[in-house]
Amino acid sequence: MDTSIEQSLITLTTNPPIHNSVGIDSRDVGTPDNWIPRHPEMIRLTGKHPFNAEAPLSLLMEQGFITPNSLHYVRNHGPVPKLKWETHRLTVDGLVSKPLTLSMDNIESLPYKEFPVTLCCAGNRRKEQNMIKQTKGFNWGAAATSCAIWKGVPLSHILKLAGVEDGTHNKPRYVCFAGCDKLPNGYYGTSIPLEWAMNDANDVILAYGMNGERLPPDHGYPLRALIPGCIGGRMVKWLSSITVSDKESDSYYHYYDNRVLPPEYDMERATKEKIWYNPDYIINKLNINSAITTPAHNEQISLSSFVSTKEYTIKGYAYTGGGHKVTRVEISLDGGKKWLLANLTQPELEHPAVLNRGINPIPRFWCWSFWSISVPLYSFIRCEEIAVRAWDASHNTQPQEPTWNVMGMMNNCHFRVKVNTVSQGKEFFLAFQHPTQPGNNPGGWMVKPEPLPLKTAMVTGLSTTNNKKYSINQVEKHNAEGDCWIIIDKKVYDCTKFLKVHPGGIDAILINAGKDVTDEFNAIHSNRARSKLTNFYIGDLSEIPQAKI
Amino acid sequence: MDTSIEQSLITLTTNPPIHNSVGIDSRDVGTPDNWIPRHPEMIRLTGKHPFNAEAPLSLLMEQGFITPNSLHYVRNHGPVPKLKWETHRLTVDGLVSKPLTLSMDNIESLPYKEFPVTLCCAGNRRKEQNMIKQTKGFNWGAAATSCAIWKGVPLSHILKLAGVEDGTHNKPRYVCFAGCDKLPNGYYGTSIPLEWAMNDANDVILAYGMNGERLPPDHGYPLRALIPGCIGGRMVKWLSSITVSDKESDSYYHYYDNRVLPPEYDMERATKEKIWYNPDYIINKLNINSAITTPAHNEQISLSSFVSTKEYTIKGYAYTGGGHKVTRVEISLDGGKKWLLANLTQPELEHPAVLNRGINPIPRFWCWSFWSISVPLYSFIRCEEIAVRAWDASHNTQPQEPTWNVMGMMNNCHFRVKVNTVSQGKEFFLAFQHPTQPGNNPGGWMVKPEPLPLKTAMVTGLSTTNNKKYSINQVEKHNAEGDCWIIIDKKVYDCTKFLKVHPGGIDAILINAGKDVTDEFNAIHSNRARSKLTNFYIGDLSEIPQAKI
């Protein structure tokens, strides 16, 4: 066993943590997640359910290096499985000589590692891509990344217990993970190469602790895979089985999610050409990325303050994958002609959990870096935008322009904040604009004035009408699996027959049955999905809603 | 010992190889390298000596996946050490329990690996940087990369024989290499982390074979370090000692070479702030890079051929570091608005030496990839330039624009070939222009009409004159260490006192003593060096050279 495994920093209880300040959100009432405390400020990106959420960017940054559990971004594909510590089991099978079934108490009794890791969704900054052209994915802002102290047993330790063949293999082997979240296309699952899991320098663990507490339900209670330097999509939550195989995971989500396709591929061509199975397009290690977090979106500086204040400190984060170091961050105030070197800090180097582990021969960087640079306030007067780019230890840097891809993933172009001049009464201000705001929140220089209604209007099917009118009250009665109506953009659809073939699953529609789901629908559906709606159109919503009984 | 070590493909003789078609070049007569056969078509980038050379790009590409030894790029800092197989020794010492001294026969009797590796100089494509602003380095074109079959003993095997502590270390350890090439600032040396050397998956070897022959003298005969996925600058040639240490190599060249500094650093500031010792700026793993090789520079297509020929195949190479795969190459014909997916081949996957090794669990890619894409000829009619960019397995790609750095290293911006229209008599042609041509060769769209004379004129010191005139014959007589004159841009300098403090060493000047060294000087010196010349100015060359006796 690796001798660098540290002593526990905090004793854990066996119950999932309950935050006093974080209760059941009214938006979760009536959903399968109505038992999970959630922070009210988390921005929901896929309507009410499933819960996909990021913290407001400034609030996230205020937390510093470690993100509190309740503000850590969440990516759920469906309802959160209701699991118990006492009854949950992990099975380990496949190409191992001693298949195992482990209880959580078994797992907790094993040696462990505890250290900070920054998680990133492959879709971080996707809304910028959606502003170019709608992708298959929903609108992540720049806060689909967070950092926590994770505690768990090294995966290599579990695999050795199960009698996995050690050392170099002549044939490729994979560790396949599966979770308990049953989804429309089966359980969520994915895999990583066995060699990656067995190399202790990669720090792959099965985590049961997060920031000194049990995992919160949204983060995989009671057990998840934790693969530093890798996209969040491989870190299976509610982990129930591990299978060592000579093939990659056969889960639908291993192939049809977390891929970057060349820009010329839309969904139709991708599926026709089976490009999803091309190993070149899988995403594992994170690419180099950074964002400006100060100035915040809509932050203003009064021009009169220029007399008293001389400097402004621009701030942000940067990260990369594979354990590489972010070695350099630069900002430009003149459209990229000149780049100024920012101060760069790697708080993980100073973190007790990392210091306790001793010096690594080749240090791995699993966490985000923070950067800052003070510039004279007058630099902004003739500045149209602030751009940031980071560099990694291999001297790769971020591309200047985004490259659109149908999944909208791994967007890592220069992050640009526009500088405008605005007046309020007699006073003038510099006002900053980020490229987007998460979800359907308005604002951002990439966002066209009214994108969604415009887009809707462009799909000819939606302009059809049959002159039938339904009141809200009438629609509300059709709220069951055998009789399910919904309202989108003031049009009424009978989705009853569609429920079972809905790519997002029955529940995603059912929890909104009988309701206006315009926001939820627009957040995640393409124009192609939109055009399919016409098949279920039955009439229009009455212009003046009747009084509720 | 790693069981994947293969049987020798070819039996080696004990003499360095002599190529029938490659004799002693007249340019080497009178230099310390006058015993080394060299291919006449190699383009010399630092005058006659030391030998720094690349093959013409088209000739290099014609060779295909494996570059013949005589056309492999060469980077020599000084004269090539004249070493013998029989007497050469490798010492292994430092933090090892059993220090060793090994003969070449000892080394050759050990287990070995033999496989293809693409080497790249960190300065590949530097001339593009020099066209923005002169860097400290000389003008590499895009052929400072080549691929050979290397044969040698795994470094980990040698280190284990020497009793190095195995496995995980709590303190950083380094493997320091030193060569036999004595240079102005001591022997060439550098280091890599011990962990890197000990991980057999990294395939670090001490190589004595190249393409089935002994190493040629220019490539380190009889022994060199070979570190796949890493820049050539770490692969110490004429290797004579290995020291395991808790510190990095203390060689001057480990710190003052092969670094990428932020663009705001010039040499003066870099040295003043001791930025050379900042570990963030060292270059180890290669970044993602690619180049267009077809169309070649100055290639022309007759517009009349558009009637008979319909397609043109654009071709090139791509590579990246760290064993990562190049997963995607794209070209743009419209300034980056649209990118077209090229066909991509990884010949190493099919190479017998790699196939013999069996399947790696996580395959490492140590070689260049080739890409091609056929486009309709008419695509060029309104096309201003062809640009290429590659992507790696971490979804990093090349930056659009170059970022100048004082060493001119790791230049990996989009490689752009301009498309012009030219007429010859009644016929019209499309003519292609690469960004630069290597060395002081003219041509390239980045090259200003007469860059060097212009730059010279800008250094005020050089416009001084004292009205003294010397003939070529007079200058030629001052050709010794105690009396050394040279001619640069028709001005005569007495360098006798400067010889011992010349940063490039005594020999680099002495072999040209009494001669016109304008080309050699301009190839590698900055304006700062140029301005120092004035201290040694003694007069002008007579306008009309006298007849030689």
Side-chain angles (χ1 to χ4, degrees), chain B residues 155 175-178 188-190 192 206 225 227 234 236 239 241-242:
Chain B
L155 175 55
V175 183
C176 304
F177 305 103
Y188 189 87
T190 186
I192 61 170
L206 303 184
I227 309 164
R234 305 274 160 250
V236 176
L239 183 68
S241 87
I242 288 177

Side-chain angles (χ1 to χ4, degrees), chain A residues 397-416:
Chain A
T397 189
Q398 302 172 233
Q400 185 178 315
E401 302 295 336
T403 297
W404 185 90
N405 63 90
V406 69
M407 301 289 284
M409 285 179 159
M410 301 296 266
N411 183 39
N412 72 331
C413 61
H414 297 176
F415 189 95
R416 294 176 183 159

Side-chain angles (χ1 to χ4, degrees), chain A residues 243-258:
Chain A
T243 305
V244 179
S245 171
D246 54 7
K247 294 190 183 62
E248 295 181 52
S249 165
D250 60 2
S251 166
Y252 172 90
Y253 301 94
H254 182 66
Y255 291 101
Y256 291 90
D257 200 354
N258 295 311

Side-chain angles (χ1 to χ4, degrees), chain A residues 2-4 168-174 193 195-196 199 201 259-265 269 275 279-288 320 324-328 330 339-341 344 346 357-364 389 391-405 410 412, chain B residues 2-4 168-174 193 195-196 199 201 259-265 269 275 279-288 320 324-328 330 339-341 344 346 357-364 389 391-405 410 412:
Chain A
D2 190 318
T3 55
S4 69
T168 310
H169 305 270
N170 278 328
K171 287 180 188 169
R173 295 269 165 97
Y174 300 92
E195 184 190 352
W196 188 349
N199 184 346
R259 305 251 158 178
V260 172
L261 306 188
E264 61 207 72
Y265 281 85
R269 183 173 166 199
I275 196 87
D280 288 346
Y281 302 140
I282 197 170
I283 313 170
N284 285 312
K285 293 176 188 170
L286 291 161
N287 57 9
I288 177 85
T320 189
H324 290 301
K325 190 177 184 183
V326 174
T327 51
R328 184 171 139 204
E330 297 161 326
W339 291 90
L340 308 170
L341 193 62
L344 185 60
Q346 265 98 7
R357 307 178 69 191
I359 300 162
N360 274 325
I362 302 179
R364 264 71 173 181
R389 67 179 185 188
W391 298 74
D392 72 11
S394 292
H395 302 277
N396 285 310
T397 189
Q398 302 172 233
Q400 185 178 315
E401 302 295 336
T403 297
W404 185 90
N405 63 90
M410 301 296 266
N412 72 331
Chain B
D2 190 316
T3 55
S4 70
T168 311
H169 306 269
N170 277 329
K171 288 180 189 169
R173 295 270 166 98
Y174 301 91
E195 184 189 351
W196 189 349
N199 183 345
R259 305 252 157 179
V260 173
L261 306 188
E264 61 207 72
Y265 281 86
R269 183 173 166 198
I275 196 87
D280 288 346
Y281 302 139
I282 197 169
I283 313 169
N284 284 313
K285 293 177 188 169
L286 292 161
N287 57 8
I288 177 86
T320 188
H324 290 303
K325 191 177 183 181
V326 174
T327 51
R328 184 171 139 204
E330 296 161 326
W339 290 91
L340 308 171
L341 193 61
L344 186 59
Q346 266 98 8
R357 306 179 69 192
I359 301 162
N360 274 324
I362 302 179
R364 265 70 173 183
R389 66 178 186 190
W391 298 75
D392 73 10
S394 292
H395 301 279
N396 284 311
T397 189
Q398 303 172 232
Q400 186 177 315
E401 301 296 336
T403 297
W404 185 90
N405 62 91
M410 301 295 266
N412 73 331

Side-chain angles (χ1 to χ4, degrees), chain A residues 461-477:
Chain A
L462 290 198
S463 58
T464 337
T465 178
N466 61 6
N467 291 322
K468 284 194 188 164
K469 299 280 180 191
Y470 299 100
S471 69
I472 280 271
N473 282 10
Q474 284 175 297
V475 175
E476 276 178 355
K477 289 171 189 161

Side-chain angles (χ1 to χ4, degrees), chain B residues 423-439:
Chain B
S423 61
Q424 282 178 15
K426 288 183 180 173
E427 203 160 8
F428 285 85
F429 296 84
L430 290 179
F432 298 96
Q433 267 207 312
H434 281 218
T436 66
Q437 287 294 282

Side-chain angles (χ1 to χ4, degrees), chain B residues 138-153:
Chain B
F138 57 83
N139 285 327
W140 284 114
T145 175
S146 310
C147 186
I149 311 282
W150 298 91
K151 177 179 179 178
V153 53

